[in-house]
Each structure stands twice: as C-alpha cells, then as structure tokens.
Amino acid sequence: MPRRQFVADLQKAQQDTLPLGIFELQQGEDDGQFEFEFFGTPTSGLIEPVKITAIIPDVSEYPKSHEYMVFCGDNAPHVIGAALQDVRGTNRKTVFELLDIVSATLARLAPDRDGDTQMPDSQLESEDEESDRDVYDDDPEAFEISANQPTLYAAATSRTPKMSGRAFRSRVRADLLAAKTAGFKVGYLGHLMDAFNAFVTVSIRVSKLGISEEAMQAWHVDPKEYLILIVQYPNGYKTNEELQACDSMRLTPNLAMRLCAGKKYKPTLQEAIKAFTAVKQTFNDDSTASDLPAAEDGGADENALRETFISKPLNGFLQERLVPILRYRSAGMDWHGAEALYSEITSKGAGGADEIPDRFYRPEAKNDTLPDIVTADHYLSESAAPYSFPLLAMQFALRHFVRCTEFCLVCHRKLDTELEAIKPYVCDQSLCLYQYMTLGFGPSIEHEVLTQPKVVDLLVSFCYSSASATRLRDFPDGLALMVPAVDLVQYRAPDPYAVYRSYYRTQQNQPAEVKREPQELPAYDVGFDRDRLEMIFFNKPDQRPVRRGSWIVLTTRDLGNSELHCRVSDVTYYPTISIDDPIVLSSAGVPNTANVSVGSADVRPRTITPATTPRWIPASFTVYDQDFEQLDRAGKCISICKLLDTLPSVKTIQDYLAKKRPADLKYWVERISPAALSLLRWIIASNRACIMQVDGDSSGDVQGQERLYGMKDFVQFRFAMGAPDKEQRFITEVRNTTQRLSLMYPTIFAWHGSPLYNWHMIIREGLHFKNADHGRAYGDGVYHAKEAATSGGYSAMAMPGAYGGQSTAKIAWSNSQLRIFSAIALNEIVNAPGEFQSQNPHYVVQHLDWIQTRYLFVQCQPADGTVRTIEEKKPANAYPQDPSRTPRGSSDTIVLPASAITSRRAASDGRTPTSRSPAKRLKGLGGFDDPIAIDDGDDSASDATDAEDLDILFEEDEVEPEPDKIDPPPQTLIKRPDGAATDFVPGTLKFNTLPIMPEPAYANSAATRRLMKELHSLQKVQDASALSDLGWYIDAEKIDNAYQWIVELHSFHVIDPHLPLVADMKKQDIHSIVLEIRFNKDFPFTPPYVRVIRPRCLSLAQGGGGHIVLGGAMCMELLTNTGWSSVSSMESVLMQIRLAIASDPPARLDIPARGDYGTGEAADGYVRACRTHGWAVPPGFQEMAFGMPAPSSGQGGQ
Ligand SMILES: [Zn+2]
C-alpha cells in the first residue's frame, strides 16, 4: 500500500530530528501533501519562518516512481521561491530525504550575518558535493543553483564596512545637525550613540507649516502642537546609504517610522515604544497601526502623543516607499519624478527597460504659497552628500502631510484634478475607495455623529436631495453594495428634471446616458406573522434564498404601500424564518412627510403577547440582492434614496452610540443594513469641505463661536472649502487689491445660493462656475447676491415644483431632523466690484481666488422639538464692514462677529485682535500684510530643547581628542529621574528564594551575546528613567545566566490607579509581580517564555485575567510563534507584558493562595492556552521551559 507507506514515512520523519532549519512538519490537507517551515539557523536573517508545501501528485506511485512539487507562499522571500523551483533530483526520494535536500539547498542561500558562509552544521559545507550526491541522488543537478542566484544577503555583502565608533558618532551627529540646521527640532531616545535600539525624532510646530486655520480645524491639528516624525532603528542607527543598500527584507528589521502629533517636540520613551506597538485589530492586521490615541480623541490627555488624522495611511506609505523613492532620488529625480517612477514600476513591473524615461526627470513646479520649510529639499542643497536620512524622511513626510489633499490617500499618486479640497481623499479608482473605507483611513462616522450631529444630518440631506433629483455624479462604487431591488414604477416614471438635465448636458458637452433597466429580483411568497416576527414558506424553494444576516424587503397587503426592510435573524427552522424588527418605509410615490418618525417605528405594539398559534398573513419579499454597480445613474440615485430612508435619524444613532460599548455602528446589525452603513460612511468620508455647526445646542459646536446676526431662523455653519493654501492665495489677492485701490475695507461679503440638490457636489468640488444652473445672463463667474432673499430665491425656487410645500416628499430625507429646504453660503470677496465680471444686480466674480466661503446657512422645517429656536442677538464685537456694501440677511442687515473673521489672521501666534480699525489692522503683524502668520520664531522659550538633545549634537567630539580607538563603555553615573511616587524598592527581592537555573545546555555564543546586549540595553534605559515611568525592574547584577531573567513589574497605579490589582497588592503589602523570562537558543527568532513566579494570581475562570493563565504563564499572542517578531526589543516586550497584566479583564491576586508557581504547571498552562487560541508553540519550548532537552515524545514540534 503505497499511501500507507507515505503516511508511515511522514510520521517517522515527524518523530525524528528534522534536518537543519526545518520545523513544524505536518500532514497537508490533501493526500500526498505535507507542509513544513523553514527558518534557517538563528543567524539566517529570516524574519519569519517560510512555509513550504510539498505535494506528491500521485501518491500511489510512492515510494517507487513518484515525483514532488515543492513551493512556498507568495509572500516568502523571492530567493527562496526561486531556489525551490530549482530543487532537482527529488524523484523517488523518501519524505525525509526530500526534507534533507530542501534544507541543504536553502541553507546554501543563507550565509550568516558576518557575511561568511560558515554554517553551524559544518558538515554540509565541508563535505564535498559529491558525497551529498552519493547519499541522495545520482542526478548531477541535485544541488545546482545557478551562480548568479541572488543570495539572501545581497545587501549584507555590499554593506559599507562598519564605521569605527568615532566615525559612526560623528556621522550621526552630522545627520542630526543637518535636520536641526534645516529648521527642525531634533531629539533622540534610547542608545543612539551605542548603536543599540534607538529613536530619532524630528519635529516642527504646526504653526510653521503655513496651514490655514480652516485646514487645521478640518485636520484636527492645533497650531501649537508639534508634528513629529519618529524614526526607529531597532538594530542601531543606519545612515541613508546603508538604508538604501538594504533590500526590503533587510529594511524591515532596521527601520520603522511613525508620524505623530504632540504638545512636546519629543515624545517620552514609553510613548515612542507605544507608537510602534501594533494593536491587533479584529478586522484587519494592519502593521502600521499604533497604540496611540487617534486624531479625533486627542482630548483625553492633553500632553500625550497621538496619531494625526492622516497617520495611518502615511505610516504605511513611509515604511514601504520612502527608501525605494530615495534610491530614485539619488539617481537625480526630484520627489515628484521618483514617486511617479515608483508607482509605475510597482504597478507595471520594471518592464525590462534599462533607461528611465526623461519625463521622470522633469522638475516639479514649486508651490510658492507654501513656506520654505515645507518645500525645502535636502537632496538639492549645496552641502551635498552624505545626506541625512532623518532630514530627508521629515521633508518627505511634510510634503505628504501639508499637501495631503493633492495625493490619493491610498495609492498616494498625485491627483490629476483641478478640484481643490480642504480634506484629503482618494483618487477615482474604485479599489482606492474600497481600501480607504475598509482600512478605516477616513473620518470615523461615530465621531462625527457624536460631535457634529447637525453636520451629519446636513450631509445626508444634501446627498438625498441630489440623488432624488438624479443629480449625483460620483457614486459609492467599488464597495460591493448589495441593495434592495429598484422600484421599476419609480424608475420608469417620467423624469421631472429632464429639461434641466438636457440643458445641463449641453453646457457640459456630456453624452446622454443610456438608460438600463435594473434587474428584477425574484419575489418569494410567504406567510408573515407580525407579532412573532416570523415568516413561513408555503412552497419551500429548492434553495434557501436567505441566510442569517440577509436583508430583505417585505410587503403585505395589510400594510398597503409600505415596505418592511428587515434583517433575517434566524434560519434554523427553515422553512420558518425569523426576522428582526422591521423598518417601515412608505413606498415610492407616497409622501411620508406626515410621519417623520415612521422610519424607526415599530410595526407591532410591544404590549401584545404573540398568539399561541401563528397567524400567517400573505406577504412577499425580495432580498437585497441588487448589485449597486450594475445600476445606471438613475437606478443608483433611486437606490441611494431608498437606503437613506432606511437609516435612523441622527439623534437615534447618537443615542445608540451613547449607550453602547463599543460605540461602533457596525454592531447595530439589526437596525442598519451593511449597504446603508457603507453609504453613510461614504457620504461622511467623501465630504471634502470643512463644515462646523455654530449653534449652541450641542457639545460639538465650534468653540466660542458667536452667531452671525441677521439670519433669523437659519441654522448656521462655519464653512471652508478649497485647498489648504486657498486662504493664503485669497489673502494675497486681498492684499494686492487693497494696495492697488487704497481700500479702507479690504473685503465685502455677499450671498451665494444654489439649488439644494447642488450642494452635495459643491461641498465636494468647491465653487466653480462651469456648472451654471441659473444661466449666465451676466457673464461667467460665481454669482453673488447682495440680499439673502435673492440668493434664497435661487436656492429654493430655481426649479418650479421642486421646493415649497407641494412636493417636499421626494426631496427631503425622511428621517432628517433639520429637514432642510434651502441652503445659502456667505462668502468673503475682494472689495473690488469695479473689476468683477458684473456688479449689478449681482456680483459676478470671475477669479476664484477672490472668493472665500465663510458661512453656510440652511433653512429648515424642523420636526417639532428637534431643533431649538435660537434667539437673535447682535455679536458683542462686530467685524467692521464696508457700510455701502453690507449685505442683507433674511431678517436684517448682517453683523459678523469679529472673532469669526479676524481670529484667523492673528490667532496663529496667540495674539488677540485688539484693533477695530481695518486700516490699522493692515499694518499689524496679523493683518493682511502677513497672511497666515507663519511662526518663524525660536521655540526655545516655550519648549526648551532637552539638554541631552543638545549635548548629542555638540559636546562629545570636543572633549574627545583621541582618534579611532575603541571607546571605553561610558560610565553610567546618571541620576535616575524621579517620576511618579512608587512603593517599589529596587534590590529588595531575595534571589535565593527563587528557582534559579544554571545556564542551559543549549547555550551558544551567538544567542548569549545577543541576550547580554539586550540586558545591557535595558540596564541603560533603567538607569536613565524614573522607576515608576518604566514600571519594570531588572537587577542585572544578580543575573548570571543570560537565558533566565528575573524581572519585577511594579507601579501599576501609574497605568490606572483604580485597577483592582493595585488594591490587591496594597492589601497584601506586595510591591511587585516577579516574572521569570526564559530564552531559547534561537532567540530572537523565537519568543521568550514568560511566567509569573509570585504572587499567585486568579485565572480567567476564577475571575482574574491580565493574560495570566492557570499555572502562572503569560499567554499573549506576542509571546507565541504566531505573534512574535524578531524585531521586538525586550524593552517593548516588558512594557507590553505590563500593559497586558493591566488590560481588561485585569489580573487579580489569589489572596488566600500560598507559595510560588511551579515550573511544570506553568508550562502545561502555556501549551494548553496556545492550543486553545490556535497559536504555535515555539520550537524547543519544552527545552526552554524546563531548561533541559525535550523528552523523546516530540513535544513542541522539534
Ligand atoms: Zn488612489
């Protein structure tokens, strides 16, 4: 039986010692298939094991005439895949022989870190290839690997020779100095000069970046904050040249970057570590995610380091592309060319072309409105090479931060559109939109709903109006929306806007769209019991048409024209199916404004007890099975209206979010369909204007904003559009005309109205005059009215019948609380009507840079009690306006609060406007002469540079005269900083009461050296940090065996004073948790094993937690083969363990228990927990846990 022979051979191989570098041999899914991992030797430099699969296509031929196919996954290093393809002579080999051949082939690819090819198992190298062949094969190609095969160490061999200590330090110093001279604040953390794990920070105050105040508000950044780039060098500082010489595989362990914001120019060491600590999210494994607070919830801790609104996409971008792009830069391209070439090569492949086309060398036009520090380019500087990597990285980061609206947030290509927006977005590739939404790059709807409910209502209402008038142009395509069937009656109904659309098309020269009938989805007849929320199929279809979680549209005769939209909650008793509470919608053509709350109404009165016998009423349903992208424009518009009508009101969503934890709408499955949620997310995320509610009836209002006077009964929003440098361009225009015309009042204000259905587009595309709805009687330009009533007329009455009482039904979103029926903007315009296209009866302004939007007003018919009427009150400090050109609002001549206008010109540096005279203001620093006040002062007064950051730049060389010589280790006589109070006293742990083991048999010099280095590095951190800041303590003096560390964790009150663990420890007079950490000979390629020695803690089942399992072992994914990364420094590991112990549910002490945990119970608990979670136990675990070789049972896979 050949198959049996194969299985027996496989089992035998599994029990045997596997060939060098091969682990985890397992039977595969298919017959004749097996899988194993290749991890090489500890020094092979592989970051993670490579999974290799071998298949015997016809196992019946085993072991006489079979063949093998051997391959690895796509994400494995290329050289390994290529080498496997070249493995020959495996035919007719046993399983074990095959493993040996693979091991030998791959081992040859990986000379060890020092660049020589000495393998620990020298036999393979010293023996002649002939003998290998003799053993395994008569096929002479067995080990042939072509001579030009790249090795894993292409980069290692070309590496610049290691610099001497002194040269190294002077280079580091020069690099940092370059960044400082360029105008940045520079800091470092860790052991930069000792070539250990270190962080370099480069930062700049946001106020120096020339970002308008509107953009700062839209981006959630504060002018006083610092934008900080943290560069991590896990294996010591690397120069620009060294980094460029690394291939992507070597780069990851040597370099990582994060862009953050913070109140101080430099984060603390803890914060820096945290910034690089990825939080495993349940829905995606995003390696660039960090543990920092997100941009929106920055309020929690004023001083803390936090992510910026754009950190997520930019971190990944920096990590993946900066170094490759720098390579192109060193070939002479500028940023633009290098980025474009990178995109081209990654999307199309190198294409074999040796020559780079000239277009990539074309210089990019400089944007003069940006401050020099944003456009400066180290690569073009006179000083020439060597270049400072931290400076280059910061310049690259700034380019993409300040100019974020010019690039796609996902593919990072420059957007080739003339549209300007204040918030970044994606390009029009549907894949980019898809990733933007799924990776959570955009704003969080939950945050927007909680802080700016009226804005969300406004955005949805605008979209609804636009869709119901079939005016939408961009759609949420690429999101795989499955929507309800499109109502064919509605679809075929004559289009009331046809005339306008054809007019619009002639203006735009757009071809008429071919009308395509939407598909008719199958309808199923069922009986429906309204009280029990069940339906039954009388004729059971062959295939169950729904599953749990499907959304359906149910209609019954009883409910007339209404539709019930609901989620299938249970199909276990098919043909009987249970549904969740339905959402009742009036169907097409029937106005439903009479009952605004109908959308969220419950069909059945809750008080009725369901009848014992089901009462089936005839009903029929269709599934949400229409692919949104298959619809034409009209179909999509109808579909969007229908989905929006199923949404609850913003207030209802707010109430849900206020009650639920986690406050995440994706869990509200029974109320919001996936399609409706995606649509809502798209509406919020695709808005590229900055709109902030002004009225004081919610916490999310613009702080300290006064209402404008003269627009009684309108809801007010502050409103900014255009690129982040739009304000700058506007102010430049204002300044020029003010000087040219000697103006007393530099600007005027006027109204811009547009039909409601246009606003969805206006806030996305900005004002332009290509789309002139109301004709161009007075020439091309943006039309402005002097009285709100005039523009209001445009806004509401441009299309007869569309507004006003008669047909509001199909225009307004039924669950809107605002129920907007007109919208109008107030713009600030250069005071030069004589130079406008026309000034009577309207101002027609042909220069877009002469216009800035300031306010948006909407007129509402709010449902009773949903929007408070606001009392009209003139602002205390009025903004002076040209008396002859003051516009009239709905109720009176408008009075603008000075704070709304002047603040932006003076606030950047904290000055409050004092002068009321515009003429005087011109001369002031904050006036028009000085557009966006770019703060170019020195920060030293407000945020002094740490002495150590200055020292590192200047001090050392002057006091160190002797040339290249091995430096004596610097004496650490630094006084430890104080930090928060702690009850922990270092050095009080009695080591003689602990189970100390001797150095294990598996110790080898490489691993020992590495561990000693880690220990030394920790010791330095410990000496330089406050005890309570670290929260861990190692008595390195007492550690004799590098493979077994004793670590104490303490000061948990610093994490959270209310942790029950803090109280437990206090009660027991225990000041630390004593951990034992054991290392394998393969460290850092396998994780350390961590267990609590004392005190005993409660297991999860007993009400404890903190990732401490029964037996005392720490069970975190990080500490298993599945979650471990060889790049993790022990410092960050300790911090994560401490956080894990405090994480929910936190650890609790087992107060009555006595004694320490034992070695055996801990190891058992660890293995058990790994199995439960499906995590891989590290190879050699048994050896490590017990300090002795594994018993022959083969525990742990090796
Ligand atoms: Zn894109």
Side-chain angles (χ1 to χ4, degrees), residues 1142-1194:
S1143 72
D1144 210 37
R1148 300 294 308 262
L1149 297 192
D1150 187 357
I1151 291 175
R1154 295 266 169 270
D1156 297 345
Y1157 281 112
T1159 324
E1161 57 176 325
D1164 288 348
Y1166 176 81
V1167 171
R1168 204 164 42 235
C1170 283
R1171 286 212 189 106
T1172 315
H1173 293 288
W1175 297 334
V1177 174
F1181 171 74
Q1182 199 85 355
E1183 243 178 306
M1184 176 165 67
F1186 295 100
M1188 62 185 74
S1192 54
S1193 67

Side-chain angles (χ1 to χ4, degrees), residues 132-285:
D132 287 346
R133 279 179 206 144
D134 287 342
V135 176
Y136 293 123
D137 208 317
D138 45 8
D139 183 345
E141 285 171 52
F143 293 114
E144 294 287 76
I145 294 165
S146 55
N148 56 5
Q149 191 81 31
T151 73
L152 286 175
Y153 272 86
T157 47
S158 66
R159 244 166 83 187
T160 42
K162 200 158 172 55
M163 283 181 278
S164 71
R166 187 187 155 93
F168 171 79
R169 288 199 306 276
S170 91
R171 174 60 192 271
V172 174
R173 210 166 288 134
D175 283 356
L176 299 193
L177 204 54
K180 193 173 167 61
T181 315
F184 298 103
K185 296 210 87 157
V186 181
Y188 79 100
L189 296 158
H191 318 294
L192 186 62
M193 289 309 194
D194 303 323
F196 289 134
N197 180 18
F199 302 89
V200 168
T201 67
V202 186
S203 49
I204 184 165
R205 242 188 231 281
V206 170
S207 59
K208 296 188 178 197
L209 299 177
I211 305 169
S212 69
E213 190 171 322
E214 291 80 4
M216 288 196 273
Q217 279 187 351
W219 298 358
H220 303 280
V221 292
D222 186 287
K224 294 194 190 69
E225 273 181 324
Y226 283 94
L227 182 71
I228 308 167
L229 177 71
I230 313 177
V231 185
Q232 185 191 18
Y233 301 98
N235 289 307
Y237 186 84
K238 296 283 178 296
T239 65
N240 185 37
E241 307 87 84
E242 284 172 320
L243 291 169
Q244 287 192 27
C246 288
D247 57 17
S248 58
M249 199 187 97
R250 291 263 309 146
L251 208 51
T252 327
N254 283 312
L255 176 72
M257 284 169 279
R258 292 288 185 270
L259 192 65
C260 309
K263 289 272 191 274
K264 298 204 191 100
Y265 79 91
K266 170 177 137 176
T268 64
L269 183 60
Q270 300 254 3
E271 284 172 333
I273 292 172
K274 220 170 168 182
F276 290 89
T277 307
V279 195
K280 294 254 174 182
Q281 307 217 320
T282 41
F283 55 93
N284 71 43
D285 236 8

Side-chain angles (χ1 to χ4, degrees), residues 408-413 415 426-429 432:
C408 169
L409 268 182
V410 172
C411 68
H412 302 282
R413 259 184 280 250
L415 301 170
V426 289
C427 67
D428 50 14
Q429 296 183 61
C432 287

Side-chain angles (χ1 to χ4, degrees), residues 778-800:
Y778 304 95
D780 282 351
V782 179
Y783 280 62
H784 288 88
K786 298 163 187 174
E787 298 203 358
T790 320
S791 264
Y794 277 128
S795 165
M797 262 93 79
M799 294 206 308

Side-chain angles (χ1 to χ4, degrees), residues 487 553-555 561-565 583-588 642:
D487 190 314
V553 186
L554 193 73
T555 48
N561 280 324
S562 294
E563 292 175 346
L564 305 182
H565 289 245
I583 303 154
V584 187
L585 291 193
S586 313
S587 72
K642 170 133 310 174

Side-chain angles (χ1 to χ4, degrees), residues 490-507:
Q490 196 186 349
Y491 184 80
R492 289 176 190 144
D495 179 356
Y497 307 108
V499 183
Y500 291 91
R501 231 185 324 279
S502 64
Y503 171 76
Y504 160 78
R505 264 198 302 274
T506 43
Q507 297 283 312

